[in-house]
Amino acid sequence: MSKGKYYLTTPIYYVNAAPHIGHAYTTIAADTIARIKRMQGYDVVLTTGTDEHGTKVERAAKAQNKTPEEFVDVISNEFRTQWRALDLEIDRFQRTTAPNHARLVNRLFEDCRKNGYIYKGNYTGLYAVVSESFVNDAKPGDIDPETGKPYEEVTEENYYFKLSEFTERLLAFYEAHPDFIQPEIRRNEALAFVRQGLTDLSITRTSVKWGIPVEADPAHVFYVWFDALIAYVTAVEGEGYWPAHLHLIGKEILKFHTVYWPAFLMAAGWDLPRKVFAHGWLLFENDKMSKSRGNIVRPSPIAQVMGVDPLRYFLLREIVFGQDGSFSFDALAGRYNSDLANGLGNLASRTLSMIQQYREGYVPSAEGDTEVAVAITRATVQALKAYNAFEFSKALELIWAIISTVDKFIVERAPWKLAKDSSDEAQDRLDETLYTAAESLRIVCGLVSPVMPHAAESIWRQLGFFDPVSATQAGSLDWGGLMGGQEIGTIAPVFPRLDPKPTIDKMIELETTEKNRQAALFGRVPEPEPEPEVKSAIAPIGEQITIDDFAKVDLRVGEVKSAGPVTGADKLLHLQVDIGEAEPRTIVAGIALAYKPEQLIGRKVVIVANLQPRKLRGITSHGMIVAASVDGGPPVLAGFLEAIPNGARLK
């Protein structure tokens, strides 16, 4: 019986590049969540798609002697082809050039305007005459390389959305729905952005040609986010799946999904999505992937050499979902051999081979070892809980703890010795040992199936099951589901051990081939033009200092023990921070607009420990907490990914 509908989405990807591993990371995570929900009995729909409008797309098409329609058709098809190659179960693929999408964008516009949140105004900016587009990052006096003359200042008529009227409404919504934005650090970023006050948005252009016309005023076309975001609704219009249970996005598009999108929907009187989860960046050997740096990694060469499942496993096991993570071919090959070949693959091979050798290919009838059963039952509950919280790395860690438990159990029981002992007691213990290993393997198959569907299916068939493992419901993961007397299937290696160097060399070779193929197919497409807004400035680098100057600053690791507001000061928090001394230090920090007191308890921070005491609002502060920000932006506390003791000095 279905538990009801569950609707989730990836971003509607902009057609500025063919899909790379960053796109794959988000889409694989979404596919995994969809499989988890299906396993739990939900009627699931997963939507992805492509955002295809804008002047820069039009210009890129012209550079390749294509019409915009021809150009976006090619790139959009590449996304669909890649997702099929990765065997991702995409239910809806929504394009912003689809006719049903244009109708719904206009309906959203009319509902917002009817409710008083749309008005006409003028936008003034620097304009490139040849390309017929505003240049948002240009400054007065900058030269247009296509004409050799300064950009012209031009004013055009736009429709504006009254985002400024939604500051308090959004804050009230966030307060009433504390889980709407996840993880917590992204929620804090959105709160800080909105608390600064919001300004109205230009949502149409008259200078742009390639876009959805405004039906009520065809001289205008819709602009950027007012066009793209509504695709989440378009994809399931009239099917009863909206509002979405989850928007899964990268952190770089946080404000568009947590500020602009809910404001548009509030203005129109439409239902809001229930949750937005913004994950971190996928870095290539600790450097952000970028077309300009040429360090983009594509998923298809990895899948061709290692298979789809190892890539899925690596991305979800190696990286704590929500944080930034690093990708390297060396780490991928290392995880494959240590976790898959030596871990799951080895457990499957030895378990099935022993059943074949010692019991002629039939699972013995036994109840299994009670101690192992209790440990696995506990780990199963914890792993499912971690899956539901999108803590994929934690869930997989718990599953691999099951594998370690069973490996240890097999070694201690030594079934190869029991098989040589013909006594009834030894044979009963052998039956119990083989059943325990096989039943553990069955449960592991069910648990890993959302992450590694192909490997789970292969092991499942080898265990002798004929129904697909994807049909396994969470409830059937209880101990004792494997029936004695079941005949196992044909044994085959699931994760044969790889020689890292030739494996990596082959992936890099195919990566180069794929890069050249995409370059020939697409050329280079510029990034989408951002909406006009006041951007925060990065402060210039300060005056150089010597190493002796730096050595005078004593930076220490601290743990926040308590936190509370400072009376009469909206921006200040009163902290007690343990830096390894006899008593915690009192520190007053100007971070109250970005962090709630309860969010700081237990957090590791960096403290300037040898700063002279200073009295703030009647409280003497014995140090300063270290944070980063851009001008006008919220502070973000410095911290640590690895465990580090209180009082450790930063060097």
Side-chain angles (χ1 to χ4, degrees), residues 187-243:
R187 183 175 188 272
N188 292 335
E189 290 173 9
L191 281 167
F193 178 79
V194 174
R195 283 169 177 160
Q196 295 177 77
L198 302 173
T199 57
D200 293 350
L201 290 175
S202 166
I203 60 169
T204 70
R205 283 284 191 268
T206 54
S207 58
V208 174
K209 308 302 180 186
W210 176 239
I212 296 173
V214 178
E215 290 178 358
D217 195 345
H220 292 253
V221 301
F222 290 104
Y223 180 62
V224 190
W225 293 100
F226 199 88
D227 168 356
L229 291 164
I230 194 64
Y232 300 130
V233 183
T234 307
V236 292
E237 183 184 10
E239 297 183 48
Y241 285 96
W242 187 261

Side-chain angles (χ1 to χ4, degrees), residues 18-49:
H20 52 66
I21 201 168
H23 299 112
Y25 178 46
T26 309
T27 315
I28 285 170
D31 177 81
T32 300
I33 294 169
R35 291 174 187 268
I36 291 166
K37 293 301 179 182
R38 290 189 186 104
M39 184 176 75
Q40 294 172 345
Y42 288 92
D43 171 17
V44 178
V45 166
L46 168 59
T47 285
T48 188

Side-chain angles (χ1 to χ4, degrees), residues 519-540:
L521 189 61
F522 308 123
R524 177 176 172 80
V525 188
E527 296 288 346
E529 183 180 354
E531 78 290 343
E533 63 175 346
V534 178
K535 296 183 178 180
S536 299
I538 301 296

Side-chain angles (χ1 to χ4, degrees), residues 555-559 578-579 604-606 640 644-648 650:
L555 298 173
R556 298 283 176 154
V557 177
E559 181 179 349
D578 178 7
I579 64 167
K604 292 292 180 77
V605 292
V606 178
F640 306 91
I644 187 76
N646 298 341
L650 277 69

Side-chain angles (χ1 to χ4, degrees), residues 599-636:
Q599 296 165 352
L600 297 170
I601 308 302
R603 180 168 181 153
K604 292 292 180 77
V605 292
V606 178
I607 299 298
V608 181
N610 61 339
L611 199 64
Q612 289 185 354
R614 180 185 177 193
K615 185 168 284 190
L616 298 167
R617 295 281 182 167
I619 303 172
T620 301
S621 181
H622 295 272
M624 182 176 71
I625 194 166
V626 176
S629 70
V630 293
D631 290 349
V636 177

Side-chain angles (χ1 to χ4, degrees), residues 456-469:
E457 191 74 22
S458 176
I459 298 171
W460 194 252
R461 299 294 186 191
Q462 292 181 52
L463 273 169
F465 292 101
F466 297 99
D467 59 314
V469 67

